[in-house]
Amino acid sequence: MKKIPASGERINPKDDCFYQPTISVSPFRAQVVCCELIIFLGVEMVFGQIVIGPPGSGKTTYCNGMSQFLSLIGRKVAVVNLDPANDALPYECAVNIEELIKLEVVMSECSLGPNGGLLHCMEYLEKNIDWLEAKLKPLSKDHYFLFDFPGQVELFFNHDSTKNVLTNLTKSLNLRLTAVQLIDSILCTDPGNYVSALLLSLSTMLHMELPHINVLSKIDLIGNYGKLAFGLDFYTDVQDLSYLQNYLNQDPRSVKYRKLTSELCSVVEDYGLVSFTTLDIQDKESVGELVKLIDKSNGYIFAGIDARLFSLTIVFTVAAVQEKYMKDEDTED
């Protein structure tokens, strides 16, 4: 058996003395092995979340509530505001993009509207990534990051600046990030809006190329939104979407797009990537279950398990959520 090369010794890629890829393992086990190897080599890992979603989905409220929850379980949290249009922050901000660029200044000087101005701001941030790296580096030694992004969805499914910024940060700071995409649960009450949310989620997952968790936010309010066509698990598990066609056909606005909608649903089902979890940001059990999913997706649980979080034995299932927040008459068979 050949010995492992000493530290600093050059390894020939064609030489089988160090690594023989002959064992097949699952992706989950591979992630465990990679994290164990990184820890063994003494490489410092930094963890965090990027919080994205359409306007009004609750991103800023999420960052505020999540930072408080993580602080309570013993993590040092740094919230990074990368939304140049968000000038009313309910949380203490460790890094604020407004120190670099402001949306209203861009709109005034460049004669741009809000959407064009946000795109310009992200492109400017990409060109000045060294500013952001310098701000984050002192915090990366012992902080967990929450990145609060703008609500303009184009930034996450067809524009490259945000993706490039995160790629640079991942490489320079050894960041392990999970994308948390918030979708207002009110969209479940309208089949057309729900299909749109599915397409947005799928497009974002494919474009960002990060561990990704889709979240139906404001689930505590879903009982006030009206009746759901199906049980909540239909929307969280993204079950057979052909059942939505009957409801879409009842809407005169959707009839002419019936074939298009059917094809779009087929695309979502063929990929088989989209599913949702639920969140009530004011409920510690709901937040705790989400944190467990995030920690598993970005590898935090392999680097050091937080006993105060993972000692929780409550399983916040979809059935429990439906029983807690929805009345019996809120769903139809």
Side-chain angles (χ1 to χ4, degrees), residues 179 181 183 201 205 212-216 273-278:
Q181 176 154 291
I183 300 292
S201 300
M205 294 174 74
H212 194 105
I213 296 177
N214 297 304
V215 179
L216 291 176
L273 296 175
V274 183
S275 63
F276 294 92
T277 187
T278 59

Side-chain angles (χ1 to χ4, degrees), residues 26 29 41 46 51 58 86 103 123 131 137 162 174 188-189 196 198 254-255 267 273 288 290 302 333:
S26 67
R29 178 57 186 164
L41 295 175
V46 186
V51 185
N86 192 355
L103 178 61
E123 292 169 356
W131 172 85
K137 192 170 184 179
T162 303
N174 199 25
C188 295
T189 61
S196 298
L198 293 176
S254 304
V255 172
V267 171
L273 296 175
L290 177 57
F302 308 123
D333 295 332

Side-chain angles (χ1 to χ4, degrees), residues 61-121:
T61 301
Y62 173 91
C63 289
N64 186 32
M66 180 61 70
S67 63
Q68 294 180 31
F69 180 87
L70 293 174
S71 297
L72 287 174
I73 62 173
R75 300 187 197 178
K76 296 180 68 175
V77 181
V79 185
V80 181
N81 176 44
L82 294 182
D83 183 358
N86 192 355
D87 54 0
L89 300 174
Y91 51 76
E92 183 178 351
C93 189
V95 181
N96 195 337
I97 193 176
E98 287 200 341
E99 298 175 12
L100 176 69
I101 189 170
K102 294 185 177 182
L103 178 61
E104 57 268 23
V105 175
V106 170
M107 293 171 59
S108 176
E109 295 184 355
C110 301
S111 300
L112 294 172
N115 291 340
L118 282 172
L119 293 176
H120 179 88
C121 289

Side-chain angles (χ1 to χ4, degrees), residues 66-302:
M66 180 61 70
S67 63
Q68 294 180 31
F69 180 87
L70 293 174
S71 297
L72 287 174
I73 62 173
R75 300 187 197 178
K76 296 180 68 175
V77 181
V79 185
V80 181
N81 176 44
L82 294 182
D83 183 358
N86 192 355
D87 54 0
L89 300 174
Y91 51 76
E92 183 178 351
C93 189
V95 181
N96 195 337
I97 193 176
E98 287 200 341
E99 298 175 12
L100 176 69
I101 189 170
K102 294 185 177 182
L103 178 61
E104 57 268 23
V105 175
V106 170
M107 293 171 59
S108 176
E109 295 184 355
C110 301
S111 300
L112 294 172
N115 291 340
L118 282 172
L119 293 176
H120 179 88
C121 289
M122 288 298 108
E123 292 169 356
Y124 188 81
L125 177 62
E126 180 186 2
K127 294 178 181 178
N128 294 273
I129 190 64
D130 54 334
W131 172 85
L132 184 57
E133 290 176 353
K135 291 283 188 179
L136 296 178
K137 192 170 184 179
L139 300 170
S140 64
K141 297 179 181 179
D142 58 355
H143 280 74
Y144 184 100
F145 289 110
L146 293 175
F147 293 90
D148 188 1
F149 274 92
Q152 189 178 5
V153 296
E154 295 96 319
L155 294 171
F156 308 104
F157 73 81
N158 68 357
H159 193 262
D160 290 331
S161 289
T162 303
K163 178 181 177 180
N164 294 339
V165 166
L166 295 172
T167 300
N168 289 331
L169 292 178
T170 299
K171 293 179 179 179
S172 62
L173 300 178
N174 199 25
L175 276 174
R176 299 291 184 271
L177 297 173
T178 292
V180 179
Q181 176 154 291
L182 304 182
I183 300 292
D184 195 331
S185 57
I186 192 175
L187 298 183
C188 295
T189 61
D190 182 271
N193 287 336
Y194 177 67
V195 172
S196 298
L198 293 176
L199 288 173
L200 173 61
S201 300
L202 177 61
S203 300
T204 305
M205 294 174 74
L206 296 176
H207 182 71
M208 297 300 291
E209 298 180 335
L210 286 171
H212 194 105
I213 296 177
N214 297 304
V215 179
L216 291 176
S217 61
K218 307 179 185 179
I219 198 66
D220 52 310
L221 301 178
I222 195 168
N224 302 329
Y225 293 152
K227 294 183 179 180
L228 295 181
F230 307 98
L232 187 60
D233 57 343
F234 177 88
Y235 300 94
T236 56
D237 298 340
V238 190
Q239 298 173 8
D240 190 350
L241 298 179
S242 62
Y243 288 107
L244 287 176
Q245 294 299 316
N246 293 331
Y247 290 88
L248 287 168
N249 293 341
Q250 297 174 10
D251 188 347
R253 299 171 300 175
S254 304
V255 172
K256 62 183 299 186
Y257 303 111
R258 179 172 51 191
K259 186 176 180 179
L260 173 61
T261 302
S262 177
E263 294 299 324
L264 293 176
C265 289
S266 296
V267 171
V268 174
E269 291 181 321
D270 289 345
Y271 272 99
L273 296 175
V274 183
S275 63
F276 294 92
T277 187
T278 59
L279 176 66
D280 174 5
I281 194 61
Q282 298 179 355
D283 189 301
K284 65 178 182 179
E285 296 169 4
S286 179
V287 178
E289 288 299 321
L290 177 57
V291 171
K292 288 182 183 180
L293 293 176
I294 296 170
D295 287 350
K296 183 177 179 180
S297 68
N298 62 20
Y300 183 89
I301 62 172
F302 308 123

